[in-house]
Amino acid sequence: MTFQADRHVHILIIGGGAIGTSVAYHLARDGAKDVLLVEKAQLTHGCTWHAAGLVGQLRGKRNLTRLMQNSVAVFDRLEQETGQHIAWKKVGSLRLAGSAARWSEIRRSMTQAKSFGVECHSLSAQEAAERFPFIVKDGIQGAAYIPGDGYIDPYSLTMAYARGARMNGARIEEGVTVEEIVVEDRRAVGVVTNAGTIGCDILVNCAGLWAKRVGRMAGVPLAAGVVEHQYFLTEKKLTLDSDLTTLRDPDNNFYLKPDTGSFAIGGWEDGTRGCWRGEPPLDFGRELFAPDMERLALFALPAADRLPVLNEIGIQTVINGPIPISFDGEPILGLAPELDNFFVACGFTAGIAASGGAGLALSNMILHGDAGMDLWPFDVRRLGAVQAQGRYLEERAVEAYGAYYKIHWPGEEAHAARGLRRSPLHEALGARGAQFGSKFGWERPNWFASSGETRDDPSFEGKPNWFDAVGREVKAIRERAALIDQTSFSKFEISGKGALAALQRIAANDLSGPPGKAVYTQLCNEKGGIEADVTILHLRDDLLYLITGSGFGVRDSHWVGRHLPADLALRDVTDQFATINLCGPAARQVLQSVTDDDMSNAAHPFLAARFIELGHARALAVRIGYVGELGYELYMPQAYAAHVYETLRAAGEAFGIADAGYRAIDACRMEKGYLYWSGDITPDYNPYEAGLGFAVALGKGDFVGRDALARVKAGGVKRKLCSFTVEGFAPFHGGEAILSSGKVVGWTSSTGYGYTLGKSVAFGYLPVELAGATDFEIEAFGKAYPARRGPRTLYDPEMKRLKA
């Protein structure tokens, strides 16, 4: 039955907070016609109206910082453009370090700021006190000052977005509640409201606190939670300079915004209360919760230690209201994979600060098919239905909220709601000392501890406690044999007549030829940007498997599904198969000892994929790997995984076989020059820039992105991904500035320690005119390390070991 609407619009936006009105403003400003925003109550009635309004630009990822920078650019022009006062106070921000570890974290951020182009200054405790005279200097190790930050009035900002939207032809209707979303053939064709039905070509979910509920109406699971957040306003007894900066003291867990004669002070305390499992009732409106003074004290008392004046004035008002926070604490943005026209912008804990950039990015996605930058850390497809489950989401959201101002150590792992998805080898590996991390709900072995090593002890500037343990695992991979549980790999089956031809039109590499092989390839967009980095297993012309990273399954399967003919089946088989990687120079001997199939190089060469009998089981043996050694990825039904592991472990004892984890994989792939999607390669880069031209088959016929890639190859690239080495250990974590003659010329994308080389390794893009030079510096924690650019593949460049 076709949906019959009372009226029809081209783009319908649900939600009238800062994000929704910003999207409407940017769409209309960019020429979109027939845009309608509906708000169930009044504009700002949700969480926008009670937001504090701090604006901070520097984030841990380059493109997230760009998003915040874009917001500031919008704020700088919005008042003049619309005539609406927005109370934008560009007074800067001051971030204090009250511990050595925090000062390391802040100095790392300041180093990144240099590559981001964000103006940032390092201050002493005395200089910090001069900028904010109310603080006591005790314990301050240093401070960062960012002059481009400040604060803004959320209500006025939203009204300015709304006015700008209307000025450019968009319509806004208040008091219109969406009660049902009608979906037909993978499209949201319209909504049922308390004021009639509305048809649409594009539906945009900017419903803030209600985003998860609105998503459920459309059959789209969203991992957007809701928790309580408190801040308080002091009595108006202070005399403040008009240009007094904002203040963040994360070690004392509070932020501060100057107000008229007072301070607004909030924090991010542990143990906040989750709300409604992320789905507030539709009739919840401009309401607050009763103050929780016990939780308030968790940041109010430390704030009084830093600001003694708080002991002399009282609290005038406590604001305790609901705010959105996603499963991992980052916003959720983009086209939902379940539908072809349902866009999402929700989960914004810092929604005021991000609103300008987010509105611009989503408008670009809707109108031009490209956000203008890679926003993978925000991407709706980084999360799935598993993270949207009510209790799981709420536990993680509460933890993410409480961690907002905690020190974010390199490689840190979540602690809440662990153990949801487990490999059949989980218990056995745990007994052998596996220290697990979490990825997309899976428990995965990061490293294996010896007796007495029981947990991660990370470090910013020194070696973490697992450094030597990972070195032992790398040594086993390079010299003997190792087993790695890779069951969490995302695995998809593509089947049906014409499956091979269809994937040929999606993949950049050539899949043709007889079945029984693995093909490494990128999936590119029409501009030649890398949307995915995958392995495709060609078993039959009507049966292929796509293998990708644990956290990339939703994204990559969505990309493939969008380009597959309707008569082909795409099926997620991740939970069906276990994956065990047997790797190392002794891998063939170990495997041959437990199978009657011929595993010689002639019978099973590099990239071959065939079924073999292994012990008493049967497995698909794929000769490929991510560590740069002879190896086999073995796929089998999960029921047989324990038997296969035990069989290989017993057979490998004579060869000194060891268990290895994902940190050893990462160290090995850095030495080998293997890249990581979302770090080294993204839609911002094409294969030729990344040194992956060998995986582009321009001569095979048409495929997605072919024309753009042909132009790139013919015209040459403007930047190249290069590898750098630093003698010994250097504290690199990614995002460091790359310097040439003291000038920033790039930034590191991936970093690690090459145990075989005895050197620190970094990847980063350089302008092509510099890519032939050898001597550079990489700056970390205020120190410049001499770095030598070397060949892309530092270990076994001729691939003799891989193809042995």
Side-chain angles (χ1 to χ4, degrees):
M1 179 179 177
T2 302
F3 175 64
Q4 298 292 327
D6 300 333
R7 52 186 173 139
H8 187 276
V9 298
H10 178 45
I11 302 174
L12 178 61
I13 302 168
I14 303 172
I19 299 294
T21 52
S22 176
V23 172
Y25 160 74
H26 281 94
L27 284 169
R29 190 175 187 268
D30 198 17
K33 305 300 181 185
D34 201 15
V35 176
L36 172 64
L37 182 151
V38 295
E39 160 58 43
K40 70 181 185 64
Q42 292 180 298
L43 298 184
T44 76
H45 282 205
C47 54
T48 295
W49 71 275
H50 63 74
L54 268 74
V55 177
Q57 296 172 80
L58 187 60
R59 294 294 190 271
K61 302 287 186 181
R62 179 179 179 83
N63 281 356
L64 304 191
T65 297
R66 286 177 60 194
L67 193 81
M68 298 299 182
Q69 289 175 298
N70 288 344
S71 281
V72 168
V74 173
F75 301 159
D76 286 345
R77 70 163 192 261
L78 189 62
E79 185 169 319
Q80 182 176 359
E81 185 177 311
T82 65
Q84 169 74 45
H85 181 58
I86 61 173
W88 170 219
K89 305 292 185 182
K90 202 170 184 178
V91 294
S93 70
L94 189 66
R95 184 179 291 263
L96 307 180
S99 65
R102 180 73 68 181
W103 188 223
S104 291
E105 182 185 47
I106 289 177
R107 285 188 295 119
R108 179 192 176 197
S109 296
M110 289 192 290
T111 300
Q112 290 178 322
K114 181 177 289 190
S115 67
F116 294 161
V118 176
E119 184 182 357
C120 185
H121 303 279
S122 175
L123 306 183
S124 67
Q126 177 60 38
E127 291 169 326
E130 290 170 1
R131 286 203 172 271
F132 203 97
F134 294 92
I135 64 173
V136 294
K137 296 178 289 183
D138 295 349
I140 295 177
Q141 303 281 315
Y145 176 66
I146 303 174
D149 291 349
Y151 59 96
I152 199 166
D153 177 54
Y155 177 85
S156 299
L157 174 65
T158 303
M159 292 306 166
Y161 285 142
R163 177 176 288 187
R166 291 185 177 110
M167 287 169 57
N168 287 284
R171 290 170 291 143
I172 296 174
E173 297 180 7
E174 297 173 298
V176 178
T177 302
V178 173
E179 299 170 340
E180 181 183 347
I181 297 174
V182 181
V183 175
E184 296 177 359
D185 298 326
R186 286 188 52 87
R187 296 186 66 84
V189 297
V191 300
V192 178
T193 79
N194 61 335
T197 56
I198 308 171
C200 62
D201 300 314
I202 295 169
L203 187 60
V204 187
N205 179 2
C206 299
L209 299 174
W210 295 270
K212 186 173 188 283
R213 179 181 288 274
V214 169
R216 184 162 57 82
M217 292 181 190
V220 174
L222 293 174
V226 180
V227 301
E228 291 186 13
H229 176 62
Q230 294 188 115
Y231 68 93
F232 64 89
L233 292 168
T234 68
E235 294 176 327
K236 296 182 180 296
K237 295 181 178 180
L238 299 170
T239 301
L240 306 177
D241 291 341
S242 60
D243 61 350
L244 183 65
T245 183
T246 62
L247 178 70
R248 293 171 176 85
D249 187 346
D251 288 303
N252 283 313
N253 201 23
F254 76 90
Y255 62 79
L256 179 151
K257 179 185 77 171
D259 204 68
T260 305
S262 67
F263 292 144
I265 298 176
W268 307 94
E269 73 282 3
D270 283 326
T272 189
R273 185 177 292 111
C275 305
W276 307 290
R277 304 279 193 247
E279 296 194 23
L282 288 175
D283 59 1
F284 184 86
R286 199 173 186 271
E287 303 169 47
L288 295 172
F289 304 122
D292 187 326
M293 303 308 291
E294 187 174 336
R295 285 205 338 263
L296 191 78
L298 295 177
F299 61 85
L301 295 179
D305 290 338
R306 180 63 69 201
L307 302 159
V309 70
L310 295 181
N311 297 307
E312 303 169 13
I313 57 177
I315 293 177
Q316 176 176 293
T317 306
V318 175
I319 306 293
N320 184 17
I323 64 167
I325 188 162
S326 73
F327 181 86
D328 60 6
E330 298 290 359
I332 302 173
L333 197 65
L335 177 66
E338 293 80 8
L339 300 176
D340 295 333
N341 68 334
F342 186 80
F343 290 85
V344 176
C346 64
F348 284 85
T349 305
I352 305 305
S355 61
L360 175 63
L362 195 63
S363 173
N364 284 337
M365 286 185 198
I366 293 170
L367 297 182
H368 309 298
D370 182 359
M373 67 183 84
D374 173 52
L375 289 176
W376 169 245
F378 281 8
D379 198 313
V380 62
R381 295 167 295 178
R382 78 185 188 278
L383 302 167
V386 63
Q387 289 100 343
Q389 297 174 124
R391 290 174 184 264
Y392 189 35
L393 168 61
E394 189 166 285
E395 284 191 39
R396 279 294 181 91
V398 167
E399 181 183 58
Y401 172 91
Y404 206 80
Y405 272 178
K406 289 181 179 176
I407 293 174
H408 293 290
W409 296 97
E412 68 179 356
E413 295 282 353
H415 299 286
R418 292 288 296 271
L420 179 62
R421 304 175 80 180
R422 306 182 197 184
S423 155
L425 308 182
H426 180 82
E427 296 300 326
L429 297 179
R432 292 185 176 274
Q435 302 300 298
F436 293 100
S438 178
K439 179 72 75 172
F440 213 77
W442 285 98
E443 294 294 311
R444 314 190 314 171
N446 280 339
W447 61 286
F448 286 80
S450 301
S451 177
E453 299 173 330
T454 57
R455 63 180 179 84
D456 277 7
D457 185 11
S459 175
F460 281 108
E461 300 186 58
K463 296 176 180 178
N465 73 310
W466 44 260
F467 183 87
D468 290 336
V470 172
R472 293 193 295 268
E473 295 169 30
V474 171
K475 186 176 178 66
I477 292 170
R478 293 283 187 242
E479 298 180 2
R480 307 188 308 276
L483 292 170
I484 308 173
D485 182 9
Q486 297 177 174
T487 297
S488 66
F489 273 16
S490 294
K491 302 170 279 281
F492 296 89
E493 179 186 273
I494 300 100
S495 60
K497 185 178 181 180
L500 175 63
L503 283 179
Q504 272 282 60
R505 292 190 293 271
I506 301 172
N509 210 341
D510 189 2
L511 309 182
S512 64
K517 63 180 181 297
V519 179
Y520 170 63
T521 185
Q522 287 72 54
L523 312 182
C524 296
N525 57 37
E526 294 290 356
K527 296 181 180 180
I530 301 171
E531 293 287 344
D533 186 65
V534 302
T535 300
I536 293 176
L537 307 182
H538 176 196
L539 302 185
R540 301 194 310 259
D541 288 356
D542 63 350
L543 177 65
L544 300 96
Y545 285 89
L546 182 141
I547 313 297
T548 188
S550 308
F552 303 143
V554 174
R555 189 187 200 283
D556 293 356
S557 62
H558 176 232
W559 180 262
V560 171
R562 288 173 62 186
H563 295 88
L564 278 181
D567 58 344
L568 292 180
L570 174 66
R571 189 164 66 98
D572 187 348
V573 294
T574 302
D575 293 341
Q576 181 177 338
F577 296 108
T579 307
I580 299 173
N581 183 357
L582 169 63
C583 55
R588 178 183 290 114
Q589 294 166 276
V590 174
L591 186 57
Q592 188 65 79
S593 71
V594 295
T595 180
D596 294 331
D597 293 281
D598 185 359
M599 301 308 299
S600 67
N601 196 45
H604 199 108
F606 182 58
L607 298 179
R610 63 181 176 133
F611 286 94
I612 64 171
E613 292 183 1
L614 196 165
H616 303 153
R618 189 168 181 264
L620 173 63
V622 183
R623 192 172 157 192
I624 197 171
Y626 199 40
V627 297
E629 296 289 342
L630 168 68
Y632 307 86
E633 288 180 0
L634 304 168
Y635 297 84
M636 73 238 44
Q638 290 204 16
Y640 301 117
H643 168 74
V644 170
Y645 172 78
E646 292 163 2
T647 300
L648 293 171
R649 200 72 173 68
E653 289 295 338
F655 300 91
I657 200 167
D659 294 293
Y662 276 79
R663 287 178 178 155
I665 294 177
D666 197 55
C668 289
R669 70 98 182 172
M670 291 294 299
E671 293 183 321
K672 187 62 179 170
Y674 289 161
L675 307 184
Y676 183 67
W677 192 91
S678 79
D680 307 307
I681 47 178
T682 73
D684 287 348
Y685 304 104
N686 65 63
Y688 293 108
E689 294 171 325
L692 298 173
F694 66 88
V696 178
L698 292 176
K700 72 171 183 175
D702 192 32
F703 62 90
V704 179
R706 183 195 178 281
D707 291 346
L709 292 171
R711 289 192 296 270
V712 170
K713 185 176 183 181
V717 298
K718 296 181 180 179
R719 57 189 175 183
K720 292 180 67 175
L721 185 68
C722 300
S723 67
F724 304 85
T725 56
V726 171
E727 293 297 326
F729 175 82
F732 298 160
H733 305 293
E736 292 84 8
I738 301 171
L739 309 177
S740 177
S741 302
K743 179 183 176 183
V744 176
V745 295
W747 56 91
T748 62
S749 54
S750 282
T751 62
Y753 185 74
Y755 291 89
T756 314
L757 303 172
K759 301 176 181 181
S760 295
V761 182
F763 299 156
Y765 287 86
L766 291 177
V768 70
E769 59 270 19
L770 285 175
T774 55
D775 295 324
F776 294 86
E777 291 180 319
I778 298 176
E779 185 175 319
F781 302 100
K783 178 181 177 181
Y785 292 81
R788 186 169 184 82
R789 185 202 58 78
R792 264 292 309 282
T793 301
L794 299 165
Y795 176 81
D796 187 28
E798 297 178 358
M799 298 182 71
K800 292 180 179 179
R801 299 174 68 88
L802 196 66
K803 297 181 178 181

